[in-house]
Amino acid sequence: MSAFAMAAALVGAPGRGETDPEEDARALLDWLNDTDRTWLIVFDGITDPEQVAEWWPQRHSPTGWFLATTRLPGPIASSGRAATVEVGVFSAQESRAYLTARLAGVGGDAIDDVAARLGQLPLALSHAAAYMVNEGVDCREYLVRLADQSPDQDAVAAGVSLAAEAANGQEPVGLALPLLRLAATLDPAAHPAAIWDAPEVARYLADQCTATGGPEYVDSAEAARAAAVLQAYGLLSVDPMNPIWTVRMHGDTAAAVRAATPTTVHRAAAQAAADAVLRIWPDPDDYPDGAAYVAVLRGNAAVLAGQEGDPLWHPEGHELLFRAGMSLSMAELHDAAERYWRMLVDGGERVLGPEHDDVLGARRHVATAMVGQGRADEALPLLRRLVASLTEANGERDETTLSALEHLAVAATASGQTREGVQAAERLVAGRNAVDGPQDEKTLKASWILATCYRFDGRPDDAITSIQPVVAGYSAMWGLEHPDTWAVRQMLAALRAESRAVGGTDPKAHSADA
C-alpha cells in the first residue's frame, strides 16, 4: 500500500489527498484503469497472496502490465487473464555460456563440472564466477576449494562461505565478514547507506574486527571499502548514488550467511543494525515526501523483527520493534500493522513470556489495528483480557493500564457495547486525574473520550458535563482556532441540541443564547 501511495504521488494520480496512504493507493489503481501512459508494476517475491489480493487490477488500461514473482506453487493472480510462466534453473548449455562469458574463456576444462556441482543454479554460478575472477583460479581449482567446505552445506551456502572467507582476507583485512553478517540481518531488498554511518555500527565492526585481529577502529569509509570487496565477490550490491535503496543482497545469500553465523555474533549484528535503523528514523514520519525512506526503514525493521532466534528480544524488546509498529499504526496501515504486532506478540512470548509488559503492549496494538479495520467486536475480548492482566500486574494507575482502558472504551463503544465503554472511560478519567491532574492534556483527552461514550449511551447531559472542561482546557491551551478546540466546541453545541431534543437537564441547552 505504501508503494502504491508513493507511485500515485509520482504520477500525479487524480484523487490523491496526501494524508491517507490507503486513499492515495486506491487513486493509483483508478489511474491504472484509465491512463494511456505505459506502465509496469512488479510484485517481487510474493510470500502471502492474501496480502496483495485486493491490489490486483479488476480491469486496467491496455498500456500497462502487472508482473509478479513467487516461489509458491501454482498461479497467484486473481485475474483470469493472468499467464503463469515457470522459471527453473539454467540448462547445462546456459550454465556453460554464462560461465564462459564471465570467465572470459579461461575457466579451464571443468566448466560443466562446476555447473553440475552447483545444480545449474544461477545464484551459485554467479558466486562461483566472481570468486574465480577475483582469486585468479580456474574451475578445477574452484571445485577443489569448494570440496573443503562443509559437506552439509547446499550449493549456494558452500559458495557463499568460500567467497566470504576470501573477501575477508582482502584489504581492509578482517572487515568484510562482519559487515556481511550485519547486512544479512537487514532487508535483502535494500537498506540505506546512512545505516553505515551510525556509531553503533562502527562499534560493532570494531568489536568484531578486534576479536579476529582486524582494525581497532572502523569508520564509514572503511566500511564502504569492505562493501566494495563484497560486491566484487558477488555477495551484495551497492549503489552509492541511491541514498535510500543503497545496499541489496539476494535473500538466499543472506540466509546462507545467517545460517553460518554463531548465535552470539548474529545477535550482536542484529542489535547493531536495529540501533542504526532506529537512529536514522525520522520523527515524525513524513508522508508523503518521506514515504519512500520510511517504507524502506519499516521493511528493515520487519526483517530484523522476524529473525530466527529472536535477537531483538534479548534481554527485552528492542525499541525499534515498537517504533516500526507505531509507524504502521500512525500511517493507518491497519492490515500491515496487525500482522506486524502479531509477529511481535509471538516473538515476545517465546523469549519473555506472555505476561511481560512488552508482550502486553504488543497485544494492545493488535487490538487497536483490528479496531482500525472496523473489527471492534473481535478486538473486545483481547482488550478485556489485556486490561485485566495489566491491572493485576501494574495497578489501575499505571500508564500501560490507562492506555489499554482508553482502547477498551473506544472499542466497546464502536461495537455497540456502550455501557462497557462508559465504565472503561470512567475508570480512565479517574486514573488520569489521579496521575496527571485535571488540566493535563492526557486527562482532557480522556474526558473527551468519556463524553463520546456518554453520548453514544444516550446520556447527553453527562456528556456535556464531561466535555465542558475539555472546551475550557483546549481554549486556554491552544486558542479558539485550533482544530481540536473547534471539534470539542462543535461537539458541545451538538450535545446541547440533543439535550433539548430529549428534554434534558442541562440549563444552557434550554437558554435563548445556548
Side-chain angles (χ1 to χ4, degrees):
M1 189 186 297
S2 295
F4 271 38
M6 287 184 279
L10 292 172
V11 302
R16 310 175 38 240
E18 297 193 356
T19 57
D20 184 342
E22 181 171 0
E23 177 182 309
D24 291 357
R26 298 197 183 284
L28 178 73
L29 277 180
D30 292 339
W31 182 86
L32 297 176
N33 288 335
D34 302 318
T35 184
D36 59 0
R37 293 174 62 181
T38 55
W39 56 267
L40 170 68
I41 289 180
V42 181
F43 288 165
D44 188 21
I46 293 175
T47 57
D48 183 358
E50 291 185 5
Q51 291 190 24
V52 297
E54 63 181 304
W55 302 106
W56 290 113
Q58 299 306 308
R59 63 179 182 86
H60 68 268
S61 64
T63 58
W65 292 86
F66 272 74
L67 172 65
T69 67
T70 184
R71 293 187 177 188
L72 299 174
I76 57 173
S78 60
S79 171
R81 295 172 294 166
T84 300
V85 179
E86 297 289 341
V87 180
V89 298
F90 279 166
S91 67
Q93 293 77 12
E94 287 170 329
S95 295
R96 185 184 309 116
Y98 172 79
L99 287 176
T100 299
R102 285 290 307 273
L103 301 175
V106 295
D109 59 356
I111 282 182
D112 289 343
D113 295 334
V114 168
R117 168 65 179 86
L118 299 179
Q120 320 293 349
L121 290 167
L123 178 63
L125 293 172
S126 73
H127 291 151
Y131 180 91
M132 287 185 275
V133 168
N134 282 281
E135 296 295 301
V137 300
D138 62 11
C139 289
R140 195 164 296 282
E141 177 61 23
Y142 181 77
L143 287 171
V144 171
R145 298 186 183 187
L146 197 65
D148 291 336
Q149 300 301 305
S150 170
D152 297 331
Q153 292 178 313
D154 61 24
V156 172
V160 167
S161 295
L162 194 60
E165 180 182 340
N168 204 46
Q170 304 294 319
E171 291 291 339
V173 176
L175 184 54
L177 184 56
L179 184 62
L180 181 66
R181 286 170 169 170
L182 182 134
T185 68
L186 293 162
D187 188 356
H191 69 260
I195 287 177
W196 296 358
D197 296 328
E200 294 87 354
V201 169
R203 284 196 295 271
Y204 155 78
L205 293 173
D207 289 345
Q208 296 298 314
C209 290
T210 302
T212 58
E216 295 182 0
Y217 174 75
V218 177
D219 58 19
S220 57
E222 288 288 280
R225 288 177 61 199
V229 172
L230 291 170
Q231 180 166 244
Y233 279 86
L235 296 172
L236 51 74
S237 63
V238 183
D239 181 1
M241 302 304 293
N242 192 327
I244 299 178
W245 297 279
T246 313
V247 183
R248 300 173 185 265
M249 178 185 290
H250 195 286
D252 288 349
T253 302
V257 172
R258 292 194 302 270
T261 302
T263 299
T264 54
V265 176
H266 174 62
R267 186 176 298 171
Q271 292 274 352
D275 288 343
V277 174
L278 183 63
R279 177 177 289 275
I280 66 175
W281 202 295
D283 187 23
D285 291 3
D286 187 12
Y287 180 81
D289 294 336
Y293 188 60
V294 172
V296 168
L297 297 183
R298 287 189 196 129
N300 279 277
V303 169
L304 282 162
Q307 298 277 301
E308 186 175 352
D310 303 306
L312 298 193
W313 286 103
H314 297 273
E316 58 186 7
H318 194 284
E319 185 180 349
L320 176 67
L321 297 173
F322 304 94
R323 181 66 184 87
M326 289 304 301
S327 177
L328 289 167
S329 297
M330 289 186 295
E332 298 185 1
L333 301 171
H334 299 301
D335 289 349
E338 182 187 354
R339 289 192 296 271
Y340 180 84
W341 288 116
R342 286 190 183 279
M343 178 174 66
L344 293 199
V345 169
D346 292 342
E349 284 185 342
R350 282 193 297 269
V351 180
L352 304 177
E355 299 303 316
H356 190 278
D357 281 351
D358 286 346
V359 178
L360 295 175
R363 281 208 194 97
R364 174 170 58 83
H365 287 296
V366 170
T368 303
M370 294 168 70
V371 173
Q373 297 171 62
R375 296 161 54 204
D377 288 347
E378 297 177 53
L380 264 182
L382 177 60
L383 284 167
R384 288 168 183 149
R385 291 194 300 271
L386 183 62
V387 167
S389 295
L390 288 170
T391 303
E392 181 180 356
N394 303 325
E396 187 84 1
R397 302 293 184 257
D398 184 78
E399 183 64 32
T400 58
T401 307
L402 293 174
S403 180
L405 277 169
E406 177 180 323
H407 288 86
L408 176 59
V410 171
T413 301
S415 62
Q417 305 297 318
T418 56
R419 292 294 175 86
E420 183 178 8
V422 165
Q423 292 169 357
E426 287 176 339
R427 290 172 61 188
L428 172 65
V429 170
R432 285 296 180 203
N433 270 297
V435 174
D436 303 304
Q439 299 304 314
D440 187 85
E441 182 181 344
K442 293 179 180 178
T443 306
L444 295 176
K445 179 185 176 184
S447 296
W448 188 356
I449 292 171
L450 177 57
T452 302
C453 293
Y454 280 142
R455 185 182 189 183
F456 280 93
D457 197 40
R459 300 162 61 180
D461 289 345
D462 288 334
I464 289 170
T465 301
S466 185
I467 201 67
Q468 282 175 330
V470 184
V471 173
Y474 281 9
S475 298
M477 192 180 304
W478 294 317
L480 295 178
E481 303 303 318
H482 190 277
D484 285 349
T485 307
W486 270 104
V488 294
R489 290 175 67 195
Q490 289 173 335
M491 182 174 175
L492 177 58
L495 286 168
R496 284 176 171 159
E498 292 170 16
S499 178
R500 286 195 299 271
V502 298
T505 59
D506 178 58
K508 286 194 176 182
H510 303 280
S511 65
D513 61 346

